[in-house]
Amino acid sequence: MHTLSFVRRAAEMAEQAHLDFLFRADSLFLNPQALASSPGFSSTDPTVQLAALAAVTERIGLVTTASSTFYDPYLLARQLMSLHWMSEGRAGWNLVTSLDGAENFSQQSMPTAEARYDRAESFLQLVRQLWETYPAEAVTVDRQAGRYADPGLIRSMPEPLGEFDVAGPLTVPQHPAGSPPIFQAGASERGREFAAVHADAVFASAPTLQEAAGLRAELRARAERAGRTPEAVRLLPGLVLVLAETAEQAQDIHEAGKEPISDSARIARLSRVIGADLSDLELAQRIPESVLQKISQTPRSRTHQQLVLRLIRAEQPTLRELLRSPVGSPSAHWQVVGTPAQAATEIGRWQDAGAIDGVVALPSGSWRSVELFCREVIPQLVAEGRFRSDYTGTTLADHLGLHLPREPGADRR
Ligand SMILES: Cc1cc2nc3c(=O)[nH]c(=O)nc-3n(C[C@H](O)[C@H](O)[C@H](O)COP(=O)(O)O)c2cc1C
């Protein structure tokens, strides 16, 4: 699964379905215990993998994940612009602040979530400034006059930003298509504000339609308050798809693919997510208010903790129901287990309810899910007029519709 041939097959199918982009999440931390039953977070570097895929695809976007907590901004600005060149304007950056990995970067512990967002603010601004230091128009290449570029068009960097003091310019010019679009993941109060002000798209965990609709409405309102149009920020929840020809087959694949861990291990994991001990509760018991009073104010992931708490408050599930629901899984994503027709219907229902701008499809369980998503779900969405039947542009910004219409206040970003 770490070879190019493995991912190339999926990339080609996705491109034949005219999907906007390939998306690679990433972790800079590996738990050896998790490897016993699954690949866990084993993976090749996403930007290197997408650069290889750039050479064997033509139109599909390539969105890589990079952590503003651990990367160096100059190196990352250069890598992303390089991917943009290698793919002729198809690169995108999913900016994450990360939950783990400090020990791999000579740090004693993870900085607080707020400190990570503080760094993310200056990091993103710096990367954007670096991309502009060497504008595409500076390169004139006039052999007769013996000129390569116009040094007068190279921009110097403004003042130091936050903890960063980077002189620039970048060694690679900006691609004529502009800079890579920005994706973001992390939906705490601070994460939502960050996304609303800076991001073109948000990769979210939204296990229910209500959750997605609420998040989308909030992001749009916050974007407007920040001087952008509501459409400037697109909500793309993760959608885990376990697909088969019949609903029963899909259910069987889903059951067979379930994590082989005990209920007590699941309870321990959920306890860590909300930051309160659930181990004394019976499976048939609802979560008492006394437990909710004791939850951690500094959980590992505020996004995941709040998803669980909102579900408890809205539906009062038993502990068993909570463990079986998507929020009981590590990713807390929306899930569809069924036929391609059922998946297309669900996507249409969420779209009609104004809950999503698209999805980050996560076909799971078997290769068949990838094939059925690309060859049956997408054609059904095209037939219903919900998705385009061919690419209308060549860059990721084109696929996302970023050029139309120009948002007011873009210069404030
Ligand atoms: C849907 C989703 C996907 C994420 N993907 C990644 C990832 O691929 N790599 C990573 O290091 N962190 C990832 N994160 C972690 C976030 O970047 C962030 O650090 C975390 O959610 C804490 O932010 P918060 O305080 O806003 O909850 C993800 C978070 C969410 C909600």
Side-chain angles (χ1 to χ4, degrees):
M1 65 181 281
H2 300 305
T3 60
L4 178 59
S5 58
F6 182 84
V7 285
R8 180 178 184 167
R9 228 177 109 198
E12 285 171 352
M13 262 190 269
E15 192 164 59
Q16 280 156 15
H18 313 114
L19 300 191
D20 289 356
F21 54 82
L22 297 165
F23 183 90
R24 260 297 312 272
D26 195 35
S27 168
L28 296 166
F29 162 84
L30 188 66
N31 174 5
Q33 306 310 322
L35 294 177
S37 56
S38 79
F41 282 120
S42 329
S43 76
T44 55
D45 179 282
T47 312
V48 172
Q49 186 186 65
L50 290 169
L53 288 171
V56 295
T57 54
E58 286 177 2
R59 300 289 280 278
I60 195 161
L62 307 162
V63 181
T64 187
T65 292
S67 169
S68 57
T69 301
F70 298 127
Y71 274 73
D72 171 84
Y74 188 93
L75 291 175
L76 184 64
R78 184 169 186 249
Q79 267 184 356
L80 292 168
M81 193 50 77
S82 303
L83 181 63
H84 217 35
W85 275 102
M86 295 301 107
S87 63
E88 295 289 1
R90 292 186 283 138
W93 172 23
N94 178 37
L95 185 160
V96 295
T97 56
S98 298
L99 295 168
D100 302 291
E103 62 274 47
N104 293 329
F105 297 89
S106 311
Q107 297 180 29
Q108 298 293 320
S109 58
M110 284 299 287
T112 63
E114 287 299 308
R116 300 196 318 268
Y117 275 114
D118 287 345
R119 181 177 153 106
E121 294 275 353
S122 359
F123 192 113
L124 174 60
Q125 207 180 328
L126 183 65
V127 166
R128 281 185 155 145
Q129 286 171 355
L130 280 166
W131 283 337
E132 312 253 304
T133 51
Y134 189 171
E137 335 54 279
V139 184
T140 46
V141 191
D142 182 342
R143 284 184 192 279
Q144 274 187 334
R147 286 184 73 81
Y148 174 72
D150 179 354
L153 292 181
I154 304 294
R155 296 183 198 146
S156 53
M157 290 287 285
E159 294 301 294
L161 257 172
E163 66 195 84
F164 304 110
D165 186 0
V166 178
L170 207 59
T171 56
V172 56
Q174 191 174 39
H175 189 272
S179 296
I182 305 297
F183 287 52
Q184 182 270 0
S188 62
E189 170 79 17
R190 182 81 188 267
R192 289 169 187 219
E193 187 59 22
F194 183 93
V197 174
H198 300 296
D200 300 303
V202 173
F203 174 41
S205 291
T208 63
L209 189 154
Q210 290 69 24
E211 204 38 81
L215 178 56
R216 181 167 180 264
E218 190 182 326
L219 286 169
R220 290 165 68 88
R222 283 180 188 257
E224 244 182 327
R225 284 202 291 278
R228 306 173 74 195
T229 63
E231 295 74 33
V233 55
R234 296 147 184 81
L235 180 69
L236 311 176
L239 170 55
V240 175
L241 291 154
V242 181
L243 302 177
E245 273 72 10
T246 68
E248 295 70 32
Q249 284 168 354
Q251 201 56 47
D252 288 347
I253 296 171
H254 181 54
E255 291 299 326
K258 275 195 175 151
E259 287 177 291
I261 63 168
S262 63
D263 276 344
S264 59
R266 283 178 205 278
I267 294 170
R269 186 168 67 197
L270 196 61
S271 298
R272 283 194 298 276
V273 167
I274 65 170
D277 188 6
L278 302 174
S279 61
D280 288 339
L281 301 185
E282 299 292 328
L283 284 172
Q285 203 178 339
R286 298 186 196 288
I287 317 299
E289 194 53 41
S290 56
V291 170
L292 299 181
Q293 295 301 328
K294 283 190 239 142
I295 56 156
S296 165
Q297 299 307 308
T298 52
R300 178 169 171 274
S301 164
R302 296 180 294 187
T303 301
H304 200 164
Q305 183 200 50
Q306 287 157 15
L307 280 172
V308 177
L309 295 180
R310 281 196 293 271
L311 184 83
I312 292 174
R313 298 229 151 88
E315 297 181 14
Q316 285 100 40
T318 62
L319 179 57
R320 181 182 289 109
E321 286 163 348
L322 200 54
L323 293 179
R324 303 277 178 272
S325 80
V327 298
S329 76
S331 68
H333 286 310
W334 170 20
Q335 295 179 2
V336 173
V337 179
T339 62
Q342 286 172 325
T345 304
E346 267 302 275
I347 294 170
R349 191 168 72 86
W350 283 43
Q351 188 184 28
D352 291 344
I356 55 173
D357 295 289
V359 299
V360 173
L362 306 164
S364 306
S366 78
W367 259 107
R368 197 72 189 121
S369 289
V370 182
E371 289 167 354
L372 290 174
F373 179 72
C374 293
R375 297 181 182 158
E376 296 198 18
V377 178
I378 290 293
Q380 182 168 333
L381 295 173
V382 171
E384 291 171 9
R386 298 183 184 278
F387 192 63
R388 53 154 197 272
S389 57
D390 199 354
Y391 288 113
T392 53
T394 57
T395 66
L396 175 59
D398 292 338
H399 305 337
L400 294 172
L402 292 193
H403 300 315
L404 30 118
R406 185 95 180 103
E407 61 195 76
D411 52 346
R412 292 171 44 184
R413 293 207 272 153

